[in-house]
Amino acid sequence: MENHTNLTEFILTGFKSHPGSQFFLSVLFSTMYIVTVVGNACMILIITMDSKLHTPMYFFLENLSILDICYSSVITPKAALTFSLGRRIISYNGCASQMFFFSLFGTTEAFFLAVMAYDRFTAICNPLLYQIIMNKRLCVFMVVGSYLSGCINCTIQTSFTFSLSFCGPKEINHFFCDVPAVMHTSCSDTLVSEIVMLAVCGSIIVGTALVVFISYVYIIITIIQMPSAESRQRAFSTCSSHLLAVSLFFGTVFFMYAQPGATSSPDKSNAISILYTVVIPMLNPFIYTLRNKDVKGSLKKQLKR
């Protein structure tokens, strides 16, 4: 058995069984990454330049855009280079770093979505107290707290995973160093690490999803009780984009990390992982822009200037 202390590199074998599609995958990943960076950068620029958008909701949305750029940058450029150059080797330290930052930004995004749901709950269910409750100090505290929670999780996940021993060809059946895929290559007994991953990730996913669910139960009840159809339409339009983003993110992440046997289907995880690592960060700016009159109005104003 080769101990992990002697390991210098891994081989990423995700999608290797389709050699004819390597160029297509490289172009696809590169294009989606460019769209992700440009789309989220535009969101940041629009919110920063328009003083009317300097509210708690857009403060969180701006931070979500920054997070999505970082989140996608950890995975997509390396994957695109791997497909284009055919060099599938990633160093031991590079793999650990990629896993650390991927877990950090992924966990932080889950907390961000929960925070944004609470923000919408406060705005719709307690509109008179909204400015008092969602003050600047609380907003900053929520953002910092989300990152700290992500840091705790990624430290646990990375340290438990890389405390294992690895042997054989050290092939990771994935296009990046995800926790389940790396665990699958280990010669050690991974039961304890899998239990830790299931317990920590499961509690984070279920906990943040529960905050979202409870918030939207109260939001829906409040919207139904509104007297006018116009008020109901306006309230629903401010929540529908966030609800769509939440459904996409938590649906795929729950399938990957919050159920028993998450490490047993590496081939299936390759395709599903593309959704939350590449597609969702790319779609978020469009989801929040297309159904948001304030952002579209601000965009038109900036384009006219």
Side-chain angles (χ1 to χ4, degrees):
M1 178 182 294
E2 181 181 356
N3 190 272
H4 70 277
T5 55
N6 299 321
L7 184 64
T8 58
E9 60 189 29
F10 289 100
I11 302 173
L12 300 170
T13 63
F15 299 112
K16 192 176 182 180
S17 58
H18 307 284
S21 64
Q22 298 303 295
F23 176 75
F24 170 76
L25 286 172
S26 175
V27 173
L28 180 63
F29 272 56
S30 299
T31 302
M32 288 194 293
Y33 180 64
I34 293 172
V35 173
T36 298
V37 173
V38 172
N40 283 285
C42 286
M43 284 294 295
I44 296 169
L45 188 62
I46 291 170
I47 294 171
T48 301
M49 294 183 65
D50 193 339
S51 59
K52 292 182 180 179
L53 301 182
H54 294 176
T55 63
M57 181 178 76
Y58 294 106
F59 172 75
F60 294 129
L61 187 54
E62 182 178 23
N63 278 276
L64 180 65
S65 294
I66 295 171
L67 182 65
D68 278 338
I69 292 175
C70 297
Y71 187 33
S72 183
S73 297
V74 173
I75 305 297
T76 315
K78 172 63 178 176
L81 284 174
T82 297
F83 297 137
S84 62
L85 302 178
R87 180 175 172 80
R88 295 179 170 271
I89 294 174
I90 184 170
S91 68
Y92 177 85
N93 291 332
C95 187
S97 299
Q98 188 181 61
M99 181 183 293
F100 180 90
F101 287 106
F102 166 72
S103 298
L104 169 63
F105 296 131
T107 305
T108 304
E109 178 139 352
F111 279 96
F112 265 23
L113 293 174
V115 165
M116 292 171 72
Y118 176 75
D119 172 71
R120 291 299 82 208
F121 159 76
T122 307
I124 293 174
C125 300
N126 297 288
L128 298 178
L129 299 176
Y130 178 68
Q131 294 296 335
I132 298 174
I133 296 174
M134 300 302 296
N135 56 71
K136 186 175 182 180
R137 178 179 296 181
L138 179 62
C139 292
V140 172
F141 175 80
M142 286 180 166
V143 170
V144 174
S146 297
Y147 274 103
L148 288 177
S149 300
C151 191
I152 292 171
N153 179 51
C154 70
T155 301
I156 293 173
Q157 296 296 327
T158 306
S159 59
F160 267 85
T161 302
F162 282 89
S163 64
L164 300 172
S165 296
F166 301 90
C167 60
K170 304 176 288 288
E171 293 185 351
I172 300 174
N173 191 1
H174 218 318
F175 61 92
F176 70 98
C177 289
D178 197 10
V179 176
V182 176
M183 279 188 187
H184 196 70
T185 68
S186 174
C187 297
S188 305
D189 182 1
T190 61
L191 179 61
V192 174
S193 295
E194 288 190 48
I195 291 174
V196 170
M197 184 191 79
L198 182 62
V200 176
C201 290
S203 62
I204 290 173
I205 295 169
V206 173
T208 51
L210 194 60
V211 171
V212 173
F213 177 76
I214 294 173
S215 296
Y216 274 99
V217 167
Y218 280 100
I219 287 171
I220 292 171
I221 292 173
T222 303
I223 291 176
I224 292 174
Q225 294 175 344
M226 288 180 177
S228 67
E230 184 181 352
S231 299
R232 290 194 295 270
Q233 177 64 29
R234 191 186 311 114
F236 180 75
S237 65
T238 64
C239 301
S240 57
S241 299
H242 180 253
L243 194 56
L244 176 58
V246 164
S247 301
L248 288 172
F249 181 83
F250 281 105
T252 54
V253 170
F254 182 85
F255 181 88
M256 286 293 300
Y257 302 106
Q259 60 172 331
T263 62
S264 61
S265 303
D267 293 330
K268 188 183 295 184
S269 70
N270 278 309
I272 296 173
S273 296
I274 294 178
L275 290 175
Y276 64 87
T277 58
V278 183
V279 176
I280 292 177
M282 178 187 68
L283 291 180
N284 275 344
F286 299 99
I287 291 173
Y288 286 105
T289 300
L290 294 177
R291 295 189 59 86
N292 191 306
K293 294 181 180 179
D294 292 335
V295 174
K296 286 191 291 186
S298 178
L299 178 60
K300 292 177 181 178
K301 189 195 320 182
Q302 299 302 328
L303 290 175
K304 287 180 180 178
R305 288 181 180 177

